[in-house]
């Protein structure tokens, strides 16, 4: 039986050459994406910014996302300096010092306040690489895979199945693979509802060495399927568990923008993995700012892995 570690953990990311959290406070955050600076809303930044003036020449943003009145992620970008509307290339090291290769991708200001990737996932991608260390023919599954940075990071260990309901996101993921010189990697790019695809994989008798999932609070599949996290996550977790066995390495779940404890989703994993060995851990994802080292929490996570506590 997998052992639940009750004490929460912190999985913290730091900036790198192409990304950094410059400052945060008063419900906003200032970030560096390559040569461009942006301000976005951040409800968890309850403190005062370290820098008094974000309009100072060395901090002046190229744009700011102003949220709408609804709770569905609406809003608009206000630009004060030119920004490439078709995006600009960035990279993530992907364990380059340990035999990996950089993953390249296009950053772009999207209508949903994101910029084409989630930088707080960088330590998650690194952790998955540690679990797969030494494997060259791993089978991994990336559910809600978005623009594919995680899938490209996983592809150095074997074949990847990338699933997302958005045709636009999957097309961008393919473009990121080409930008990274990884178009020939064994990645299946699938446009589908994640829950339906996972259930079909169970019926097919498939297995995976690792699964990562980053479900939204609310979403729709390509055929109008409705996803509500609190309602549909338990079924998805239990199906995903059936795609893993005693030789599998991990399952990693991240959850954003919900009023929920990491202990709650860890309990869901504890139930699903009652018949497998290993460890279940949970806690917060956070990003450390470039200067003062202050931590900005971004999401909660729960994960199962092989090994001892």
């Amino acid at each position: 039986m997998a052992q639940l570690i009750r004490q929460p953990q912190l999985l913290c990311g730091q900036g790198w050459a192409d990304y950094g959290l410059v400052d945060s406070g008063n419900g906003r955050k200032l970030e560096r994406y390559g040569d461009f600076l942006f301000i976005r809303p951040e409800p968890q930044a309850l403190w005062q910014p370290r820098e008094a003036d974000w309009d100072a020449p060395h901090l002046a943003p190229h744009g700011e996302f102003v949220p709408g009145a609804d709770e569905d992620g609406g809003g608009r970008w206000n630009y004060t300096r030119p920004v490439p509307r078709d995006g600009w290339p960035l990279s993530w090291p992907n364990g380059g010092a340990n035999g990996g290769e950089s993953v390249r991708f296009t950053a772009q200001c999207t209508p949903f306040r994101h910029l084409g990737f989630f930088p707080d996932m960088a330590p998650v991608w690194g952790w998955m690489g540690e679990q797969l260390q030494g494997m060259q023919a791993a089978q991994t599954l990336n559910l809600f895979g978005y623009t594919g940075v995680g899938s490209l990071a996983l592809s150095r260990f074997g074949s990847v199945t990338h699933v997302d309901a958005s045709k636009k996101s999957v097309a961008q993921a393919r473009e990121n693979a080409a930008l990274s010189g990884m178009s020939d990697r064994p990645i299946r790019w699938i446009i589908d509802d994640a829950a339906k695809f996972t259930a079909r994989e169970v019926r097919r008798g498939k297995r995976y060495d690792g699964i990562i999932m980053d479900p939204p609070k609310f979403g729709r599949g390509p055929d109008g399927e409705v996803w509500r996290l609190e309602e549909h996550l338990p079924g998805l977790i239990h199906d995903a568990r059936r795609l893993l066995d005693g030789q599998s390495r991990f399952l990693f779940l991240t959850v954003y923008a919900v009023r929920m404890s990491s202990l709650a989703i860890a309990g869901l994993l504890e139930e699903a993995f009652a018949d497998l060995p290993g460890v279940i851990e949970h806690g917060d994802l956070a990003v450390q700012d470039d200067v003062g080292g202050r931590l900005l929490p971004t999401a909660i996570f729960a994960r199962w892995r092989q090994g001892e506590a």
Side-chain angles (χ1 to χ4, degrees):
M1 179 177 181
Q3 178 185 0
L4 172 63
I5 307 301
R6 293 186 176 182
Q7 184 67 27
Q9 299 188 11
L10 177 64
L11 193 54
C12 180
Q14 297 180 338
W16 63 91
D18 278 351
Y19 171 78
L21 175 62
V22 179
D23 197 7
S24 62
N26 290 336
R28 302 188 302 166
K29 57 185 174 183
L30 175 63
E31 298 168 290
R32 168 179 54 82
Y33 288 83
D35 295 329
F36 301 93
L37 293 169
F38 298 98
I39 295 174
R40 293 190 291 159
E42 182 45 72
Q44 298 199 86
L46 302 176
W47 44 78
Q48 294 295 312
R50 294 186 186 279
E51 298 283 351
D53 184 10
W54 286 4
D55 291 324
H58 69 293
L59 297 175
H62 291 76
E64 178 174 0
F65 188 88
V66 180
D70 57 68
E71 296 182 355
D72 295 328
R76 69 185 189 281
W77 286 96
N78 287 342
Y79 299 101
T80 55
R81 291 196 279 168
V83 174
R85 298 305 171 93
D86 293 330
W88 60 99
L90 298 180
S91 66
W92 177 65
N94 192 24
N98 298 313
E101 71 280 81
S102 293
V103 172
R104 293 178 61 79
F105 50 91
T106 297
Q108 186 177 26
C109 297
T110 73
F112 304 101
R113 82 178 63 189
H114 309 305
L115 283 100
F117 79 110
F118 297 109
D120 58 333
M121 289 295 291
V124 179
W125 302 328
W127 180 87
M128 292 190 301
E130 293 172 1
Q131 308 313 303
L132 297 173
Q133 198 65 42
M135 300 189 72
Q136 296 181 334
Q139 301 278 333
T140 54
L141 173 61
N142 187 358
L143 297 171
F144 310 94
Y146 195 41
T147 57
V149 181
S151 294
L152 296 175
L154 285 170
S155 70
R156 67 187 264 218
F157 301 100
S159 63
V160 184
T161 299
H162 174 106
V163 183
D164 198 282
S166 168
K167 292 181 180 180
K168 184 176 181 181
S169 291
V170 173
Q172 184 62 62
R174 286 180 173 272
E175 292 178 12
N176 287 338
L179 186 63
S180 299
M182 299 180 184
S183 294
D184 60 343
R185 292 291 175 87
I187 302 175
R188 288 196 298 162
W189 305 106
I190 296 176
I191 301 168
D192 202 349
D193 176 80
K196 285 186 174 181
F197 176 83
T198 304
R200 286 199 302 273
E201 290 288 87
V202 171
R203 293 195 293 269
R204 293 170 183 143
K206 296 294 184 68
R207 74 164 295 278
Y208 289 92
D209 294 293
I211 299 176
I212 178 174
M213 58 178 73
D214 185 22
K217 179 180 180 181
F218 175 86
R220 293 188 182 276
D223 297 320
E225 302 93 338
V226 175
W227 166 269
R228 292 184 176 88
L229 187 111
E230 291 89 344
E231 180 179 347
H232 296 117
L233 181 61
L236 177 60
I237 289 294
H238 282 270
D239 279 345
R241 155 63 192 90
R242 296 172 67 185
L243 299 178
L244 302 168
D245 59 26
Q247 302 303 311
S248 301
R249 300 293 183 90
F250 70 85
L251 181 143
F252 202 106
L253 165 67
T254 53
V255 173
Y256 290 79
V258 295
R259 295 175 180 175
M260 187 182 296
S261 166
S262 65
L263 190 58
I265 55 176
L268 181 59
L269 264 59
E270 182 184 29
E271 176 184 70
F273 285 84
D275 61 337
L276 283 185
V279 177
I280 295 168
E281 299 161 320
H282 67 99
D284 285 316
L285 291 184
V287 179
Q288 181 173 299
D289 69 36
D290 284 345
V291 179
R294 182 158 54 190
L295 301 181
L296 176 64
T298 60
I300 58 174
F301 75 88
R303 65 191 184 193
W304 166 81
R305 62 172 174 85
Q306 287 287 5
E308 302 293 333

